[in-house]
Amino acid sequence: MDLKEIQEMIERIARSEFLYFEMEHDGTTLKLDRRPDGTMQSIGPAGVAPAPLAASGPVPVTPLPVQAVEEPAEELHEIKSPIVGTFYRSPTPEAEVFVETGSKIKSGQTLCIVEAMKLMNEIECDVDGEIVDILIANGQPVEYGEVLFRLRPSAV
Amino acid sequence: MTPEGPHFNLGARLPDPITPEAVRTDYTPKIFGRRILYYESVDSTNNTLRQAASRGEPEGTVVLANEQTAGRGRLNRRWISPAGVGIYMSLLLRPDTSGTPLFLYTFLPAVATARALRRVSGLPVFIHWPNDLTLRGRKIAGILTDIRSGRGHPREVIIGIGINVNNMPADLPSELTETATSLAMSAGRRYSRANIIQAILEELERGYALMRTGNLVDILDTWRKLSPSHQGTPVEVVGGPGKSLHGTTRGIDDDGALLIQCADGGLERVAFGEIRRVRGGKRRAPGS
């Protein structure tokens, strides 16, 4: 597994309802544990929103492949949803997506639409930079304050 | 009696201009209508106003068009907008703070439009959550609000309103004849589009002034009065969070979300998704 695949897996699990996850693949072991005190807890009823990664504290990942450990911690800029609603990556179902992972973005550029109650809320970027992660799939519900995108801001 | 059907004839159509001169209100507007941009034909009034907004047009600017060639609703659904018969208008707001709850930008135009249509026509126009307007169970007006937000706050709000006023059955595509209507089809007479536009601008002016002072009670109370289907109506919610949901409406909360009591007795809060009124339920929506 490369770093990108590991990051993607962490993102997916962070959005799920799993409190504990462990896997072994090609000599790499990945363990994700966000139980508050390390004990297994029952999971809430179906429909309970999964806790966002940021709210559940750092997710310990052990052991990490060498390149992950050596990767310097990076300050990524987060774009959060201002409302509860449905996340859309394009202005209309048939249209091109606003942005892709790797897209270079200017401040003020539209990243997505979050819709609720026939309010089509276009979310604009507030920095120049590059899209590193798109955390929500098209058409999925998002919570207030949920992280939608992570960007690597351009060097000033 | 409802004279709906393909055979009635309201005689020759008289001129019904909606130019800035024709829709000028008796009072001097503080916000809505102090600047009116009129077009014979545009793709969509929301798109046109958005371009105008990026040129720096002020809050309260109104775009009116005699025809839309690509009028749109939610999820790129079309709003059929033939020349000379409907109202196709968009209004620009530039919120100065983030204090106003966003849902009011969709409730306010619904209330203003319903009140204006009732005042001018005397017909029983109702609202269905969040902002569908119906007359005798058929859709008569649609509202779509486009917001641009940066740093978590709305900075530009464009409210689009489409109303079927003097449309005849032939003006509606065949797939909509069972679900849509116009004032003229329902009442058997035509209405002045300019009078309705003036009434909407006046209602918006009044409602927005209240909203800006933080008085939300008036809008919410009027919305509730004009939306009997938000209480005790069997509905299905699709496209909301999770799977589709069946239940009975139990009012709205202070954030404009619809409360739905499910078959198992649980109360669900629905902030988005599409509400379909379930026909043939034990109780039909009043006004539908």
Side-chain angles (χ1 to χ4, degrees):
Chain A
M1 291 177 84
D2 62 25
L3 178 61
K4 191 164 181 292
E5 285 172 327
I6 291 172
Q7 280 177 334
E8 276 177 7
M9 182 159 285
I10 292 172
E11 297 294 356
R12 283 186 179 204
I13 293 160
R15 289 204 304 276
S16 77
E17 292 177 6
F18 289 114
L19 296 176
Y20 182 82
F21 174 86
E22 184 173 350
M23 72 162 281
E24 203 168 331
H25 178 71
D26 280 352
T28 304
T29 307
L30 183 61
K31 246 188 238 182
L32 299 171
D33 187 352
R34 49 177 174 180
R35 294 168 296 179
D37 56 3
T39 55
M40 201 57 104
Q41 293 184 339
S42 64
I43 292 169
V48 170
L53 180 60
S56 47
V59 177
V61 180
T62 54
L64 280 172
V66 174
Q67 72 264 34
V69 173
E70 289 180 348
E71 192 77 25
E74 190 178 20
E75 282 287 320
L76 293 179
H77 183 76
E78 293 182 335
I79 303 286
K80 296 176 181 172
S81 179
I83 56 169
V84 172
T86 309
F87 174 83
Y88 294 112
R89 289 190 56 194
S90 58
T92 64
E94 304 80 26
E96 299 249 321
V97 295
F98 290 111
V99 294
E100 296 275 15
T101 304
S103 295
K104 300 279 193 294
I105 305 298
K106 290 277 178 202
S107 178
Q109 193 172 333
T110 300
L111 299 176
C112 66
I113 290 175
V114 180
E115 188 227 337
M117 300 188 204
K118 291 195 195 163
L119 296 165
M120 311 302 288
N121 201 333
E122 284 192 16
I123 312 300
E124 295 177 348
C125 198
D126 51 6
V127 296
D128 293 351
E130 179 189 341
I131 302 284
V132 176
D133 278 325
I134 302 173
L135 291 104
I136 313 287
N138 188 56
Q140 290 302 302
V142 292
E143 291 294 322
Y144 170 80
E146 190 166 353
V147 179
L148 308 174
F149 298 91
R150 291 208 180 96
L151 287 94
R152 182 176 297 117
S154 305
V156 181
Chain B
M1 196 186 109
T2 305
E4 285 182 79
H7 304 301
F8 69 94
N9 184 351
L10 303 184
R13 219 168 54 171
L14 297 171
D16 180 23
I18 51 165
T19 54
E21 299 72 41
V23 302
R24 186 160 291 139
T25 48
D26 295 338
Y27 58 90
T28 305
K30 289 198 177 73
I31 305 280
F32 293 101
R34 53 184 177 170
R35 183 150 167 74
I36 295 174
L37 308 173
Y38 171 78
Y39 300 85
E40 225 7 75
S41 179
V42 297
D43 60 348
S44 128
T45 54
N46 269 27
N47 290 354
T48 305
L49 183 51
R50 182 171 181 158
Q51 288 156 15
S54 62
R55 294 194 302 267
E57 292 288 352
E59 175 164 77
T61 297
V62 178
V63 162
L64 292 172
N66 198 44
E67 174 190 45
Q68 285 187 121
T69 55
R72 64 189 163 87
R74 188 176 166 269
L75 296 178
N76 212 28
R77 290 173 188 156
R78 287 183 309 159
W79 186 266
I80 308 299
S81 314
V85 295
I87 290 174
Y88 321 117
M89 68 191 294
S90 293
L91 307 114
L92 174 64
L93 294 177
R94 295 187 184 280
D96 51 2
T97 65
S98 61
T100 302
L102 281 186
F103 78 92
L104 288 175
Y105 292 109
T106 194
F107 274 45
L108 170 69
V111 165
T113 306
R115 282 175 64 122
L117 290 176
R118 282 170 164 250
R119 214 169 83 197
V120 172
S121 73
L123 295 169
V125 173
F126 286 106
I127 304 172
H128 300 279
W129 188 90
N131 65 6
D132 272 343
L133 266 56
T134 63
L135 176 54
R136 300 188 174 115
R138 296 178 182 202
K139 185 143 171 167
I140 192 149
I143 296 164
L144 185 75
T145 303
D146 286 319
I147 298 182
R148 302 181 84 175
S149 292
R151 298 179 197 279
H153 303 309
R155 61 174 186 79
E156 181 184 296
V157 176
I158 292 177
I159 297 167
I161 303 174
I163 309 171
N164 299 332
V165 181
N166 294 322
N167 309 52
M168 292 290 108
D171 295 320
L172 291 173
S174 55
E175 71 268 20
L176 293 183
T177 50
E178 288 301 309
T179 53
T181 189
S182 70
L183 287 185
M185 283 164 65
S186 195
R189 54 156 289 196
R190 292 198 180 91
Y191 290 89
S192 152
R193 291 182 298 163
N195 284 355
I196 296 170
I197 292 166
Q198 285 166 340
I200 293 172
L201 294 178
E202 206 179 307
E203 292 288 346
L204 282 171
E205 186 89 2
R206 199 183 67 83
Y208 192 52
L210 286 172
M211 196 167 118
R212 291 215 296 186
T213 61
N215 180 348
L216 314 183
V217 177
D218 187 76
I219 296 172
L220 286 175
D221 279 357
T222 312
W223 189 95
R224 288 188 176 104
K225 275 185 205 138
L226 293 177
S227 180
S229 66
H230 83 288
Q231 281 282 10
T233 301
V235 292
E236 178 186 11
V237 186
V238 289
K243 57 189 186 316
S244 90
L245 190 145
H246 288 264
T248 304
T249 57
R250 288 283 180 255
I252 52 168
D253 69 12
D254 289 344
D255 296 321
L258 187 63
L259 302 173
I260 293 182
Q261 187 151 35
C262 302
D264 64 7
L267 199 62
E268 290 278 345
R269 184 179 176 277
V270 176
F272 56 100
E274 191 167 326
I275 306 295
R276 292 181 186 157
R277 295 189 296 288
V278 179
R279 304 283 168 169
K282 280 182 186 162
R283 188 173 161 188
R284 259 180 81 173
S288 61

